[in-house]
Amino acid sequence: MKVGLTQMDIAWENKEKNMEKAGKLMEQAAGQGVELLVFPEMTLTGFTMNTALAGEEMLFSPTLQFFKDASRQYRMAIAFGFVEDFGTEYYNKFIIVSEGRILYDYDKIHPFNFGEEGKHYIGGHAVKTASLGDLKVSGFVCYDLRFPEIFQAVSGQADLILVIANWPKERILHWETLLRARAIENQCYIVGVNRIGKGNGLEYTESSMAFDPFGERLTKAHSKAELMVINVEKDTVNRIRKQFPFREDRKPELYGEFYAKNACVITSDFLFG
């Protein structure tokens, strides 16, 4: 499968302008035969705490409809982020649409409380996977990357895990290190898509990247390209897992006991069920 990684300079809280930018990237990706195109977290607003501006009801969401229509027009699956307005609650969402339908719908589990995200957004309660072609795909949002348990929870099924983010330049070493680690420890493809430019006083640098199940980098480091394309092959995942079956040595039941004894909020049934 051809997967496209964007590096989009998100205009701060300007949905209309960002639709124009996203539209050009989708047209470019379709011209290169991309089958799954990935955009960064909060694609059309940037990482904003202005829920009144960003929030949209799922049934009437212009953002959702925009990407649904594009997925049908270009015959391409599209992964993106937006804010759901659920009455008095707001969720930082990761959506994949294909053929005009929602294929994957995930609520960011870990709000970035260092940046006060938890004061404005509700954390999700479920990890998920979806089928796309012959691949099993899962996805997480930005700060989720620092919590390996949820990656392990889906890697029993997932061949490809996407991470969409607004990850600042000053901590970009963590971003790259953790993405590579998630690929190695879960023996699957990891694709991380980050924004570039400036927003709300923060600077973002070119850092969208992908790793294969061995942790080998598939994208050019520090590329200035707005779009990078990689190939993801299920056979590669199966071959590496068969060749080095160390995931079979995990002891999830034991880990669950450790969590329970330490009064961890996340239960073993959630993590490893």
Side-chain angles (χ1 to χ4, degrees):
M1 176 178 290
K2 280 192 173 184
V3 179
L5 293 73
T6 63
Q7 296 195 120
M8 181 173 165
D9 185 351
I10 300 175
W12 181 248
E13 295 184 343
N14 190 330
K15 293 181 184 179
E16 184 175 345
K17 188 171 183 178
N18 290 319
M19 280 186 181
E20 292 180 9
K21 293 184 176 185
K24 292 177 182 178
L25 285 167
M26 289 186 288
E27 184 177 5
Q28 181 183 349
Q32 295 186 37
V34 168
E35 297 164 88
L36 169 62
L37 181 63
V38 189
F39 285 99
E41 177 186 19
M42 295 193 190
T43 307
L44 300 185
T45 62
F47 186 61
T48 178
M49 300 300 108
N50 186 353
T51 53
L53 178 145
E56 300 175 5
E57 295 181 47
M58 287 286 282
L59 288 177
F60 309 103
S61 167
T63 297
L64 186 56
Q65 194 61 51
F66 170 72
F67 285 112
K68 277 184 175 181
D69 291 345
S71 74
R72 189 183 298 110
Q73 176 184 352
Y74 294 114
R75 298 181 180 180
M76 175 174 62
I78 303 169
F80 62 96
F82 89 110
V83 174
E84 180 187 7
D85 179 348
F86 194 74
T88 59
E89 297 177 342
Y90 295 88
Y91 293 88
N92 185 346
K93 300 188 77 73
F94 182 133
I95 300 287
I96 302 176
V97 291
S98 178
E99 299 178 353
R101 298 179 294 107
I102 296 176
L103 185 71
Y104 183 83
D105 179 353
Y106 166 79
D107 299 325
K108 183 178 182 181
I109 289 176
H110 303 95
F112 184 49
N113 288 318
F114 179 79
E116 300 189 345
E117 185 180 4
K119 292 182 179 180
H120 304 273
Y121 297 96
I122 304 296
H125 298 89
V127 295
K128 301 178 180 181
T129 60
S131 295
L132 184 59
D134 67 342
L135 296 175
K136 278 284 189 179
V137 180
S138 187
F140 298 110
V141 181
C142 205
Y143 190 49
D144 284 334
L145 181 60
R146 293 188 180 273
F147 302 89
E149 297 91 343
I150 57 175
F151 287 78
Q152 293 169 11
V154 298
S155 67
Q157 297 183 42
D159 307 297
L160 166 65
I161 302 177
L162 311 172
V163 184
I164 62 172
N166 280 204
W167 197 289
K169 180 179 179 180
E170 62 181 326
R171 294 187 293 277
I172 213 65
L173 175 63
H174 296 187
W175 166 252
E176 180 170 357
T177 302
L178 293 172
L179 287 170
R180 190 189 299 271
R182 299 295 166 263
I184 293 169
E185 66 197 11
N186 293 293
Q187 295 182 301
C188 66
Y189 288 91
I190 295 287
V191 168
V193 169
N194 198 15
R195 66 159 296 177
I196 61 171
K198 294 182 179 180
N200 199 29
L202 295 174
E203 184 176 357
Y204 302 88
T205 190
E206 290 83 358
S207 52
S208 292
M209 60 189 74
F211 297 93
D212 74 8
F214 257 143
E216 296 292 335
R217 187 172 182 135
L218 300 174
T219 48
K220 182 180 178 182
H222 312 299
S223 171
K224 301 292 185 182
E226 290 185 311
L227 174 67
M228 296 179 284
V229 181
I230 65 164
N231 287 311
V232 173
E233 300 176 347
K234 185 178 182 67
D235 288 347
T236 299
V237 178
N238 293 339
R239 175 176 54 80
I240 290 175
R241 289 180 173 180
K242 184 177 181 180
Q243 186 177 1
F244 298 98
F246 64 77
R247 294 175 65 260
E248 296 177 8
D249 294 329
R250 286 180 177 160
K251 303 185 187 301
E253 297 82 6
L254 183 60
Y255 308 151
E257 291 179 11
F258 289 153
Y259 274 101
K261 288 178 181 178
N262 287 281
C264 183
V265 174
I266 304 175
T267 68
S268 59
D269 285 341
F270 172 74
L271 282 175
F272 307 106

